[in-house]
Every structure is written in C-alpha cells, then in structure tokens.
Amino acid sequence: MDRLLSMEVFVAVVELGSLTAAAALHDMSPAMAAKHLKSLETRLGLRLMVRTTRRQSLTEAGQAYFARCKAILAEIRDAEQGAEAMREAPRGNLRITSTVSFGSFALTPVIADYLSTYPDVSVELSLSDLVEDLVASRYDLAVRIGEPADSGLIARGLGRYQMMVCAAPSYLERYGTPATPADLVRHQCLDFSYWSRRTGWRLGNGDGGETGYPSGRFVSNNGQALRQAALAGFGIVLQPELLLADDVRAGRLTPILRPYWPAARPISLLYPKDRQALPKLTTFVNFVVARFTP
C-alpha cells in the first residue's frame, strides 16, 4: 500500500480520535483506513495503537512513530509548497556558463540589474571559452557564439559578435601597418590558445575565401591578457569588438585590415526545454533578450 498515505491516515486517526473520521477525511471506507494502519504495523513489526470498541490509545512505539510521521509529512508539505512557489515567482539559483569576454564585459552588468530586480534569485556565472555540455554540467543556461547546433536546446538570439584586428599606434609606427592578411607573417600576432595551431587566425582573403598564417611569440587563453599585450605595443590582436572598442575610441588601439575581418557571428542564449517553465529562468531569459535586442 502507499506508505505515505498510510502515514497520513495514521496521523489523522490520532488527531481526530476516530478511524471513521480519518477515513472520511481521506475519502475512503473505515475498513480501508484500518487496512492502512495494519499495513504500517506489519511493515514496522510493532503495535502502534490499542483499539477497543469504546476508545483507542497509542502504544509507546506509536507515540514515537506519530511524532516522526508528523515531522515527515510537514517536510513533504513544505517541499511541495516550495516547488509550487518556484513556479509562481522567480526564486532559486541560476547556473550560467558563458564565453569569457561576453560574460565579463556584456552579460555581468545585465545580471547585476536582474538580481536587483528579482531579490529572491541568485546567479552562479562560470566563464570559459571551452564549450561545456549544458545538460551534463547541470547549467540552466549557456551563452554560445556561432550558429547553435541542433541539440534539442531552445535558442534565443542576443545579437551579433564581431571580431576586430587592432594594434597600438606605437607598434604600427615601429613595424608598419599590414595591408593584407598575407603581410601578417612578418608581424607579431597575439594568439588565442583555443584556436587551432594548424590554421592560426582565419581572415578573409578578398575573394570570399579564408586565409591563415603562423602565430606569434605570445599565446594566451585569455582575451584580456592579449589586449594588454597589444596595448603595450608588442603585437597585433584579434579579439571581440566588445573587448577592444573602448581602446579604439580612446585611440589606444588602431583598427587594421578591416575588409578582412571575420564575419559577425550570432550570439545565442541556450537552455533545455524541460526547464523553460520555471519563473527564474523565463524572467532571466526575457530580461537578457530585452537588453541585447532592439
């Protein structure tokens, strides 16, 4: 028999003082209520109640079991109410993974505003340029650059991700400005370690194709480190516009090879279909999409 229902019937019998009243509360016959009590006693191997035609009383074991049943059933009710509340209002923790540059420069300020708007939600943001399995790693959402794969995830667009090639004015004065990607073999190229060592950068060649070239002497897995090396005048950097735009506006970096920049790629917010009904997720997705799309 249903163990939880048997426990509920037992508690009702004790609190209402009547097997008949407990049966009516649970919409069953007194005989069925008695079977639930008998099932508990058989499972436990203990007598829980002493019943006569006039009265019933708990045994010592029954008193202890009654207290534990009350506590267990209360915890179950609290858990169910908590789950229902999560479906009614945004609350709980959101685990998000994003690329380093977009997550730190573009997404984090939006997360801060979201948390100010929804005080019962917390966010754990993991930044990495390695693509992790969203479901296996138990993330609620992921930000991905490029066309989303057909993976059964829901994708919401957040705009376009433009890469740009830049160098410090001091570097260009010392070594000259490359006119085509082929000229880069004579320059220091600040390389990103997650890109293929075989192909190097991939820039347009003016004919609709792509061309690569050898990497330079400084390699890092962090765009901020490559930006700092470029600002120091050590080499040419290929990194996202959102990372370099302020330096370009201030004249600290100069855009070069603009006709050959990689085509802008889509930015997508991805999340599993089975989690879309939770208010913490739906409100966050709508909040972020509203910030990044016209």
Side-chain angles (χ1 to χ4, degrees):
M1 304 186 76
D2 187 323
R3 192 185 310 182
L4 285 179
L5 179 56
S6 297
M7 293 167 67
E8 290 176 339
V9 171
F10 171 62
V11 169
V13 169
V14 176
E15 291 182 334
L16 299 177
S18 164
L19 188 68
T20 301
L25 178 65
H26 289 283
D27 194 24
M28 63 180 64
S29 67
M32 179 58 70
K35 286 183 179 180
H36 277 285
L37 294 182
K38 182 63 175 177
S39 174
L40 286 179
E41 291 179 331
T42 300
R43 180 184 295 275
L44 296 171
L46 295 169
R47 190 77 178 271
L48 298 176
M49 304 186 72
V50 177
R51 295 179 292 276
T52 66
T53 56
R54 290 176 175 262
R55 59 187 297 272
Q56 61 187 22
S57 61
L58 289 172
T59 64
E60 182 178 356
Q63 291 175 349
Y65 189 65
F66 170 73
R68 292 295 299 145
C69 285
K70 286 269 291 183
I72 291 169
L73 294 173
E75 288 180 4
I76 292 173
R77 282 193 295 272
D78 288 345
E80 290 175 343
Q81 290 170 359
E84 290 172 358
M86 288 183 68
R87 298 183 66 87
E88 295 171 359
R91 66 180 70 247
N93 185 59
L94 277 172
R95 298 188 70 241
I96 304 168
T97 177
S98 172
T99 60
V100 176
S101 294
F102 185 84
S104 56
F105 282 87
L107 187 60
T108 294
V110 180
I111 290 175
D113 289 344
Y114 173 83
L115 293 175
S116 297
T117 305
Y118 297 98
D120 292 327
V121 180
S122 59
V123 169
E124 177 186 342
L125 176 63
S126 176
L127 300 178
S128 174
D129 289 309
L130 294 175
V131 177
E132 297 189 59
D133 186 303
L134 180 61
V135 176
S137 300
R138 301 186 65 81
Y139 285 109
D140 296 296
L141 307 102
V143 175
R144 296 281 187 261
I145 308 300
E147 292 292 342
D150 183 13
S151 59
L153 300 174
I154 295 176
R156 299 288 299 274
L158 299 181
R160 309 292 290 180
Y161 193 80
Q162 178 65 61
M163 302 290 287
M164 61 192 311
V165 184
C166 297
S170 60
Y171 176 89
L172 298 176
E173 290 171 7
R174 188 178 311 123
Y175 299 105
T177 301
T180 70
D183 296 334
L184 292 174
V185 295
R186 296 185 292 275
H187 288 268
Q188 284 297 324
C189 299
L190 305 171
D191 211 5
F192 191 60
S193 53
Y194 292 137
W195 293 335
S196 170
R197 298 274 70 77
R198 294 185 301 101
T199 60
W201 297 356
R202 305 299 298 181
L203 300 176
N205 62 14
D207 298 321
E210 292 184 329
T211 182
Y213 62 90
S215 60
R217 292 167 49 213
F218 182 63
V219 180
S220 175
N221 67 346
N222 184 271
Q224 187 67 264
L226 299 175
R227 167 182 170 266
Q228 291 294 339
L231 289 171
F234 183 74
I236 298 173
V237 65
L238 171 64
Q239 280 295 300
E241 183 178 27
L242 62 88
L243 177 62
L244 306 179
D246 286 345
D247 296 317
V248 170
R249 282 190 288 268
R252 295 185 292 267
L253 291 176
T254 300
I256 61 174
L257 299 173
R258 193 182 295 268
Y260 305 98
W261 288 359
R265 293 176 292 162
I267 308 169
S268 300
L269 188 62
L270 306 175
Y271 53 98
K273 292 180 180 179
D274 63 348
R275 300 180 197 174
Q276 61 181 314
L278 290 177
K280 67 176 182 179
L281 183 59
T282 55
T283 54
F284 182 81
V285 169
N286 292 335
F287 195 92
V288 172
V289 170
R291 285 296 184 91
F292 286 104
T293 56

